[in-house]
Amino acid sequence: MKNDSGIKSATGLTGSGSRDWIVQRISAVVLAVYSVVLLGFFLTHGDVTYLEWSSFMTSLPMRLFSLVAVVALAGHAWVGMWTVFTDYITSGKMGESAPRLRLILQTLMIISILVFLFWGIMIFWGNGFGVVAV
């Protein structure tokens, strides 16, 4: 079933426009709180050394919170970009090539988000973070 824009009804991240809206809002709150925590760390620690920063970021609470933030950013980005692509890459605005272009852009976006997600997980949970070169 298509609406007058030529795009199938909501099939974003969750398959429901209202659930996607909720994902977008919850992920925005998570990212805002994460930003406040990082800002608070820098405001309460004058000149931050690498050892202070490393011990703060490799603590279990921050590693878990960073993982949640990375997942939230991935979900937030997907819902946002899916909305932009379906709102602006339409047959009415771009002609018959719009569905193919939208598919290409969405595929590239999915690949980018997956790379970001795996890279973020490796940064916080891989072997390399927290190794101090002396």
Side-chain angles (χ1 to χ4, degrees):
M1 176 173 208
K2 293 188 177 194
N3 57 26
D4 54 352
S5 68
I7 299 171
K8 293 180 183 175
S9 60
T11 56
L13 183 65
T14 65
S16 164
S18 56
R19 284 191 302 253
D20 284 350
W21 186 86
I22 291 169
V23 166
Q24 189 87 25
R25 294 331 178 258
I26 291 172
S27 63
V29 169
V30 169
L31 294 171
V33 171
Y34 188 76
S35 298
V36 169
V37 167
L38 291 180
L39 180 64
F41 175 79
F42 285 114
L43 290 177
T44 58
H45 294 77
D47 291 330
V48 179
T49 65
Y50 175 78
L51 290 175
E52 289 175 319
W53 175 249
S54 178
S55 65
F56 173 68
M57 290 303 291
T58 57
S59 67
L60 185 59
M62 274 312 291
R63 287 172 65 164
L64 291 172
F65 194 22
S66 297
L67 178 64
V68 170
V70 166
V71 171
L73 185 57
H76 193 86
W78 171 250
V79 172
M81 292 308 298
W82 181 86
T83 303
V84 168
F85 293 153
T86 56
D87 284 352
Y88 296 106
I89 312 293
T90 64
S91 298
K93 294 179 182 178
M94 303 192 74
E96 296 300 319
S97 64
R100 284 187 304 270
L101 177 59
R102 192 171 50 252
L103 178 63
I104 291 168
L105 291 173
Q106 287 176 338
T107 302
L108 291 173
M109 193 66 207
I110 289 169
I111 292 168
S112 299
I113 289 172
L114 287 174
V115 167
F116 162 78
L117 194 58
F118 291 130
W119 191 15
I121 290 168
M122 288 306 300
I123 288 171
F124 291 106
W125 294 95
N127 294 329
F129 191 79
V131 174
V132 179
V134 179

